[in-house]
Amino acid sequence: MRNVRFIFFFSILALVLNLPAQNPYIQHYTTAEGLPSNMVYDIYVDSKNFIWFATNAGVTRYDGSHFDYFKKKDGLNSNEVVKIKEDSFGRIWFINKNATFNFFYQNTIFNSKNAPFLDSLKSMEYFSNFFEDEDKTIYFYCNYNREIFALDSLNNVKKYKLPSRVIKYDKDPKFVPYEGMMECFINKHLNGEFYLWTLAGLFRLNTFTKEPTLVSDKFMIAAVFPVSKKYCYANIGYRKASGYEIRKCDYNGNVDPTFPSIAMNSIYNILMLEDSKGDIWIGSYDKGIFCYRNNKLIRHFNIKKVMTIIRDHEDNIWMSSTDGVYKVNPYIKEQIHYERKKFENQEILSLSRHNSNSIWCAGRRTLFLIYNKEVFISNFQIEESSINQQLQINDNILLVGDKFNQQYALKGIRLDLSAKKVYFDKIRVCNLPFWSYSFNRRRNEISASFHHKLFFFNPVRLFRDIKTVDIGQQIHNTFYNVNNDLIVNCKRNYIFKNDSLLACKELSYFNTKVIQDHLNLNDSTEMFNIEWDSLFLLNKKQLLNLTTQFDYPVESPIKHMDYYKSTLVFSTTQNIYFCKNVLNILNHKPIHLRPIDISFSNINDIICNNDTLYIASDNGLTAIPFSTIQEVKIHRPIPYFISVFINDKQTNPDIDRISLKGKNRISFVFGSKSYSSGPVSFSYMLEGADKQWITGSGTNIVYQDLPPGEYSFKLKARKSTSPWSKPIVYHIIIKTTIWRHPLFFISLSIIFLVFIALLIIRRKNLQMKRREIEHQLITLEQKALQSMMNPHFIFNALGSIQNYLLQKKSSEAGLYLSQFARLIRQNLNAINAASINLDEEIDRLKNYLDLEKLRMEDKFEYNIEVDENVEADEIQIPSMIIQPFVENAIWHGIATIQEKGQINVKFRMQDEKSLAVTVEDNGI
């Protein structure tokens, strides 16, 4: 046992992790991140994958992005909650330090006011756990008073107390007796017997009203950790040996002899879980967290005063302590992270290969080498600038520098393995700024650029005889293609050959675009990073957009890329993606994009070497073996409804359907459960109203005044490193009110049509009456006009006849009298008629004009014009309506003029029911 302990503590010293703040695998939650207190007694994952924290300042529910807080003002009996656990009804129980209970159900905190049976569960000492049997009876246990309270499915409470068994050792006078019936675990067998796991041993009983029967007292049981329905782990101590150890057992108390024991020197505050890979995590209050694989310690986390250790649905390990909560990414077991303190607290800016098993890491001021998984610091440091680019010339020469400052050639590389130092025998300086170091394929020439200049120098004679060519254009990038041609990416893309620029036809598609990065994948295939958002493959003049073939879009800028053993690896500023067999796209085979579900702080460079992916970031340096990349699981966010408001009243979001009538306003507030790093995007659609999905980062949406019908609000979520989740659905039924029912509208339409018909009939009747009255008025006016006009006309006519007789013009007087008599007869015939034919009126009008023409001795001429569309024999007009206007034209228009007068009367149809009559004269 002593040798085992020696090996145990030696391995701790080798594998301890101190959990620095800058570690992409470990996140430390404190009050600064949203916890109500740093004193976290318990962590629990409920059936809906929410994570709960029990603190001395209330309980908190966490979904990965925001916290929901519950305190005394929300219904808790105490702000100091020590245990959280869920029962089969979905009630989440809060065990308070003041020995009271609360539970959370359907978004409500229950206490003795709204659940009176909770008063019956009060005790002198708080319980630490509960067990639920197949009858859904809950047994609260682990109480210093040896009490067990049973709560059945009808919320009836029964109380039991176990007998005392004090443990004494008469042979050891210094031994302090202790109570042995402190039950640490209870389970129930199919035969109905309860098993009590205590410090006094293992007991069984049929009912808690009877004396328990001892099964075995060979060992003292300090803690039991259920893993499955078949086995558990127990922290047990043997009476004839000192110390405690972790053993695998079945629920009958039988120890599995094939499982090697794990020695522990603590009786209390031992925590344990088994993760999805079968690795065992053990927490000790005073020694931290240990991770074992096949009984070998692989990791130790220096977290003191650990109180709980749990695993979420994404395999993250959560640990609570008196200093907040720690979340550990599951991949930390296989992957190596070098913290910034190993690099003199400098972020790593660039990487390059040294040889098959080591790489160069350039910090802001210092150059480092990773050799055999150890960090070697070099004697090369700069203060006035940073090291942001490097190129390995050969095993003995390294080229480094600042893109906007000096360049350095480091020669004579030597390693001091004992001191973990790297030395350079000679350092040569070049004061020119260089962009884009690149070797040609024969490795006999190095090119670089800066602004509008190209630089060429020999790798053997570094910084000597530098050839400079000014091309007169702004250079974005330079690189050698698969044909060993130097490509110059300006506003257009050129091949630089024989000191001149030639248009590169193969890359004309990228003219006006910036080629941010370039890789030669093989002798015929190249890859281009275009403006940080698109990856293209060029193979024998065939150009393919790779990003359009991925399983889902990469929304962040693509900053760095590398190609290693048929696998493409690229990064954004925070995430890493890889694509195996990327060249399958050339054969029209599908390719699949996979993310590494770890978020980094500002990735500065990536490189693949020795079957390992190295990631340089502001966190430090991370080394991920290629073998573990394939094991990375994609965890999609789980969307859920935080709250649903119906007509501004909050409803239970767990009820996924609603039925409404009439006016409606429906508001959804939603979130997602995602415990790996990275922001979450949402996409939603109201099926029945929306035609397409709406995507964004917002977390609420409002619909109002939806027409009657059935709708389905669908919501899905994704991270930048995952596809879309399965949508969740909320069903909405808008029922028709009586005034919206089709029969109501039909009836209303009929009533409206009848009303309109009655209005039309009434209006027509009124119009007919009005026309009749107007017709009568016209007739009266005609009669009045005729009665006024006839005497005047007759007086004038008789005056004319008298004048002819006085002048002894008997023939003219006879003609005038004959026409006058004819006109009088026409007037007498029409005097009682309201209307006459138009042709009769025209004939009478001609007779009248002839009389006036004779009387005025041919002083005027007249013309009567009837349009061809006017049917004079069928049209009826009011009698003698035209004659007064003609008479007015004669007497007031042309009677006083010196020249000969002209009167024109025209008849034309204005429309189907209107006749237009025009009387024109050339008078005054």
Side-chain angles (χ1 to χ4, degrees), residues 610-623:
N610 194 25
D611 293 328
T612 303
L613 168 65
Y614 294 90
I615 304 162
S617 68
D618 290 353
N619 300 123
L621 180 70
T622 304

mmCIF file of all heavy atoms in Angstrom, residues 610-623:
data_model
loop_
_atom_site.group_PDB
_atom_site.id
_atom_site.type_symbol
_atom_site.label_atom_id
_atom_site.label_comp_id
_atom_site.label_asym_id
_atom_site.label_seq_id
_atom_site.Cartn_x
_atom_site.Cartn_y
_atom_site.Cartn_z
ATOM 1 N N ASN A 610 4.028 16.025 -37.382
ATOM 2 C CA ASN A 610 4.170 14.802 -36.592
ATOM 3 C C ASN A 610 2.801 14.315 -36.081
ATOM 4 O O ASN A 610 2.647 13.998 -34.891
ATOM 5 C CB ASN A 610 5.139 15.042 -35.428
ATOM 6 C CG ASN A 610 5.582 13.751 -34.775
ATOM 7 O OD1 ASN A 610 5.579 12.685 -35.402
ATOM 8 N ND2 ASN A 610 5.952 13.827 -33.502
ATOM 9 N N ASP A 611 1.813 14.281 -36.976
ATOM 10 C CA ASP A 611 0.465 13.811 -36.656
ATOM 11 C C ASP A 611 -0.182 14.614 -35.529
ATOM 12 O O ASP A 611 -1.008 14.094 -34.766
ATOM 13 C CB ASP A 611 0.467 12.329 -36.274
ATOM 14 C CG ASP A 611 0.826 11.439 -37.452
ATOM 15 O OD1 ASP A 611 0.479 11.818 -38.590
ATOM 16 O OD2 ASP A 611 1.445 10.384 -37.238
ATOM 17 N N THR A 612 0.207 15.877 -35.430
ATOM 18 C CA THR A 612 -0.334 16.745 -34.390
ATOM 19 C C THR A 612 -0.668 18.098 -34.991
ATOM 20 O O THR A 612 0.091 18.627 -35.811
ATOM 21 C CB THR A 612 0.675 16.923 -33.239
ATOM 22 O OG1 THR A 612 1.011 15.634 -32.710
ATOM 23 C CG2 THR A 612 0.103 17.778 -32.123
ATOM 24 N N LEU A 613 -1.806 18.632 -34.576
ATOM 25 C CA LEU A 613 -2.201 19.979 -34.969
ATOM 26 C C LEU A 613 -1.820 20.935 -33.845
ATOM 27 O O LEU A 613 -2.227 20.745 -32.696
ATOM 28 C CB LEU A 613 -3.710 20.041 -35.223
ATOM 29 C CG LEU A 613 -4.322 21.444 -35.371
ATOM 30 C CD1 LEU A 613 -3.777 22.143 -36.611
ATOM 31 C CD2 LEU A 613 -5.838 21.367 -35.421
ATOM 32 N N TYR A 614 -1.029 21.956 -34.201
ATOM 33 C CA TYR A 614 -0.617 22.976 -33.237
ATOM 34 C C TYR A 614 -1.399 24.259 -33.519
ATOM 35 O O TYR A 614 -1.503 24.694 -34.667
ATOM 36 C CB TYR A 614 0.888 23.243 -33.318
ATOM 37 C CG TYR A 614 1.731 22.065 -32.885
ATOM 38 C CD1 TYR A 614 2.151 21.108 -33.800
ATOM 39 C CD2 TYR A 614 2.100 21.911 -31.556
ATOM 40 C CE1 TYR A 614 2.930 20.025 -33.408
ATOM 41 C CE2 TYR A 614 2.878 20.826 -31.151
ATOM 42 C CZ TYR A 614 3.282 19.886 -32.079
ATOM 43 O OH TYR A 614 4.041 18.822 -31.680
ATOM 44 N N ILE A 615 -1.907 24.845 -32.438
ATOM 45 C CA ILE A 615 -2.727 26.050 -32.551
ATOM 46 C C ILE A 615 -2.105 27.129 -31.683
ATOM 47 O O ILE A 615 -2.008 26.977 -30.450
ATOM 48 C CB ILE A 615 -4.177 25.779 -32.096
ATOM 49 C CG1 ILE A 615 -4.771 24.625 -32.900
ATOM 50 C CG2 ILE A 615 -5.027 27.030 -32.223
ATOM 51 C CD1 ILE A 615 -5.981 24.003 -32.257
ATOM 52 N N ALA A 616 -1.664 28.206 -32.307
ATOM 53 C CA ALA A 616 -1.088 29.336 -31.580
ATOM 54 C C ALA A 616 -2.172 30.389 -31.385
ATOM 55 O O ALA A 616 -2.825 30.816 -32.331
ATOM 56 C CB ALA A 616 0.079 29.933 -32.364
ATOM 57 N N SER A 617 -2.365 30.781 -30.134
ATOM 58 C CA SER A 617 -3.420 31.747 -29.830
ATOM 59 C C SER A 617 -2.979 32.620 -28.666
ATOM 60 O O SER A 617 -1.908 32.426 -28.082
ATOM 61 C CB SER A 617 -4.722 31.026 -29.482
ATOM 62 O OG SER A 617 -4.607 30.340 -28.244
ATOM 63 N N ASP A 618 -3.844 33.564 -28.319
ATOM 64 C CA ASP A 618 -3.553 34.394 -27.154
ATOM 65 C C ASP A 618 -3.622 33.585 -25.864
ATOM 66 O O ASP A 618 -3.171 34.045 -24.814
ATOM 67 C CB ASP A 618 -4.536 35.563 -27.094
ATOM 68 C CG ASP A 618 -4.292 36.570 -28.212
ATOM 69 O OD1 ASP A 618 -3.288 36.429 -28.927
ATOM 70 O OD2 ASP A 618 -5.111 37.493 -28.368
ATOM 71 N N ASN A 619 -4.212 32.365 -25.918
ATOM 72 C CA ASN A 619 -4.230 31.478 -24.750
ATOM 73 C C ASN A 619 -2.887 30.805 -24.512
ATOM 74 O O ASN A 619 -2.633 30.307 -23.423
ATOM 75 C CB ASN A 619 -5.283 30.370 -24.926
ATOM 76 C CG ASN A 619 -6.683 30.923 -25.084
ATOM 77 O OD1 ASN A 619 -7.335 30.645 -26.067
ATOM 78 N ND2 ASN A 619 -7.142 31.702 -24.121
ATOM 79 N N GLY A 620 -2.057 30.728 -25.535
ATOM 80 C CA GLY A 620 -0.815 29.965 -25.477
ATOM 81 C C GLY A 620 -0.709 29.077 -26.696
ATOM 82 O O GLY A 620 -1.049 29.481 -27.813
ATOM 83 N N LEU A 621 -0.292 27.830 -26.497
ATOM 84 C CA LEU A 621 -0.139 26.874 -27.589
ATOM 85 C C LEU A 621 -0.888 25.592 -27.228
ATOM 86 O O LEU A 621 -0.754 25.074 -26.124
ATOM 87 C CB LEU A 621 1.335 26.562 -27.840
ATOM 88 C CG LEU A 621 1.631 25.568 -28.964
ATOM 89 C CD1 LEU A 621 1.330 26.197 -30.315
ATOM 90 C CD2 LEU A 621 3.076 25.088 -28.903
ATOM 91 N N THR A 622 -1.656 25.079 -28.204
ATOM 92 C CA THR A 622 -2.422 23.858 -28.002
ATOM 93 C C THR A 622 -1.974 22.825 -29.021
ATOM 94 O O THR A 622 -1.841 23.133 -30.210
ATOM 95 C CB THR A 622 -3.922 24.121 -28.151
ATOM 96 O OG1 THR A 622 -4.301 25.158 -27.239
ATOM 97 C CG2 THR A 622 -4.727 22.875 -27.839
ATOM 98 N N ALA A 623 -1.747 21.596 -28.536
ATOM 99 C CA ALA A 623 -1.334 20.488 -29.408
ATOM 100 C C ALA A 623 -2.422 19.421 -29.380
ATOM 101 O O ALA A 623 -2.729 18.864 -28.324
ATOM 102 C CB ALA A 623 -0.008 19.910 -28.939
#
